[in-house]
Amino acid sequence: MMQVSFSRIAGKGAAALLSATLLLMLCLVPAQAGPAADDGSRIVAEQAAPVLVAAAEQAAPAVQAAPATPDVEPVATDNHLWWFWPVTLLFFCFILGIIAVMAGVGGGVLFVPLVSGFFPFHLDFVRGAGLLVALAGALAAGPGLLRRNFANLRLALPVALIASACSIVGALLGLALPTNIVQTCLGVTILAISILLLMSKNSVRPEVKVQDAVGMALGMNGVFLEPSTGEVVDWKTHRTLIGLLLFIVIGVMAGMFGLGAGWANVPVLNLLMGVPLKVSVGTSKFLLSITDTSAAWVYLNQGCVIPLMAVPSIVGLMLGSVVGVRLLAVAKPKFIRYMVICVLLFSGAKALLKGLGIG
């Protein structure tokens, strides 16, 4: 039935179009053709007039019966000035930098869920900026950590090779998947991180009696000077193979979500592999400068890094970190830690609901 009605409409429309074309041609006949031409044209016009009227009357109901074109939904527009969101992001990241230092977590793990949840930016741009935020902090801290032997190259390089290669895979995977799926996975990951921070108890100096064969072959051992006591601490690793396999997962997640990976590096190095806490923190910070660089190039190549987002975020977090270091002496770290866990639980739940299309 639909095909028949459409063919009728098309046939009537074609008849009306043909009649209108004949009428137009008759009107365009040049006046210089002489009296005979004028008489002939008049006769043809008088004979064609009833046909044109009948064709128009038949075509009119068909045109009226044709369905109207649906209205296009209006696109939401932002009425703020161009500098409103960069300035807001600058102050937001300044506060974020203070909290990150006092809580002992990286800026990226707070930046991505909070900015994606409360700012009108696409998740791809937020993840690209989050990687640059984590990278900026790591590059600023890396040289000092190496000078003090808190970041160990023999420990970092095998881990960095695995994590950086997997972060590229994670970045490509995150950009290929639909946004709602990535948002849902991000919410689940943030909730898992908050639970990990709540339950993990870092060991200042784990006891490793015998180093395993993999750690010995890779030379994952060293010494460092403990500034508080003046003691020279000798350390080595165990369960190295399991730790290296876990860094495959950590690298994929770091590139996929743009979180950095300090939240996962430290527990694996410290609790699983038996590296002292200060060496774990220092090596983790140095690792970010390699892992996040690999993933950040993917986002840069895909056009997912916007300077108006990345620059205020980095400047705000760096300035906030300076203030946070000074406030760390008078603040209560335990309260700040639990506050960050609550913020992560809230932002993780918001990201999860947003990915599911509920929030």
Side-chain angles (χ1 to χ4, degrees), residues 296-313:
W297 275 115
V298 178
Y299 285 90
L300 280 168
N301 187 49
Q302 296 295 326
C304 295
V305 176
I306 302 177
L308 281 177
M309 279 184 61
V311 173
S313 303

Side-chain angles (χ1 to χ4, degrees), residues 124-358:
D124 291 347
F125 301 130
V126 177
R127 287 182 292 167
L131 283 171
L132 293 184
V133 163
L135 180 59
L139 290 174
L145 294 171
L146 285 171
R147 280 197 304 269
R148 293 172 177 82
N149 285 332
F150 289 150
N152 187 274
L153 282 177
R154 289 187 175 182
L155 177 63
L157 290 181
V159 174
L161 178 62
I162 296 172
S164 59
C166 294
S167 69
I168 296 175
V169 176
L172 294 172
L173 182 63
L175 291 173
L177 290 174
T179 304
N180 60 336
I181 294 179
V182 178
Q183 190 88 43
T184 304
C185 295
L186 173 64
V188 174
T189 303
I190 295 298
L191 291 175
I193 291 171
S194 59
I195 295 173
L196 178 65
L197 292 175
L198 183 63
M199 299 182 64
S200 65
K201 304 294 182 183
N202 292 328
S203 177
V204 175
R205 197 179 302 172
E207 183 180 355
V208 179
K209 296 180 179 179
V210 180
Q211 188 175 21
D212 61 355
V214 177
M216 190 177 299
L218 295 175
M220 290 185 174
N221 55 68
V223 295
F224 76 98
L225 178 65
E226 176 59 52
S228 58
T229 61
E231 181 184 2
V232 177
V233 179
D234 189 3
W235 61 269
K236 51 186 175 289
T237 62
H238 60 175
R239 298 191 289 264
T240 308
L241 182 59
I242 302 174
L244 294 178
L245 293 176
L246 282 177
F247 274 104
I248 296 176
V249 181
I250 294 172
V252 171
M253 295 175 69
M256 186 173 179
F257 301 126
L259 296 175
W263 55 272
N265 291 342
V266 175
V268 172
L269 291 172
N270 179 241
L271 299 177
L272 181 66
M273 298 174 63
V275 180
L277 181 59
K278 288 189 175 180
V279 179
S280 298
V281 173
T283 304
S284 171
K285 202 71 173 176
F286 177 75
L287 277 173
L288 293 181
S289 62
I290 303 174
T291 305
D292 291 349
T293 302
S294 303
W297 275 115
V298 178
Y299 285 90
L300 280 168
N301 187 49
Q302 296 295 326
C304 295
V305 176
I306 302 177
L308 281 177
M309 279 184 61
V311 173
S313 303
I314 294 172
V315 173
L317 274 163
M318 297 297 280
L319 293 176
S321 299
V322 174
V323 178
V325 169
R326 297 187 178 184
L327 293 178
L328 189 60
V330 296
K332 295 181 179 179
K334 188 175 182 180
F335 169 75
I336 298 294
R337 182 170 177 267
Y338 284 118
M339 183 184 69
V340 168
I341 291 173
C342 292
V343 170
L344 286 176
L345 284 171
F346 174 73
S347 59
K350 185 174 179 62
L352 179 61
L353 293 175
K354 190 174 180 180
L356 294 174
I358 301 174

Side-chain angles (χ1 to χ4, degrees), residues 9 59-68:
I9 294 173
V63 174
Q64 292 176 358

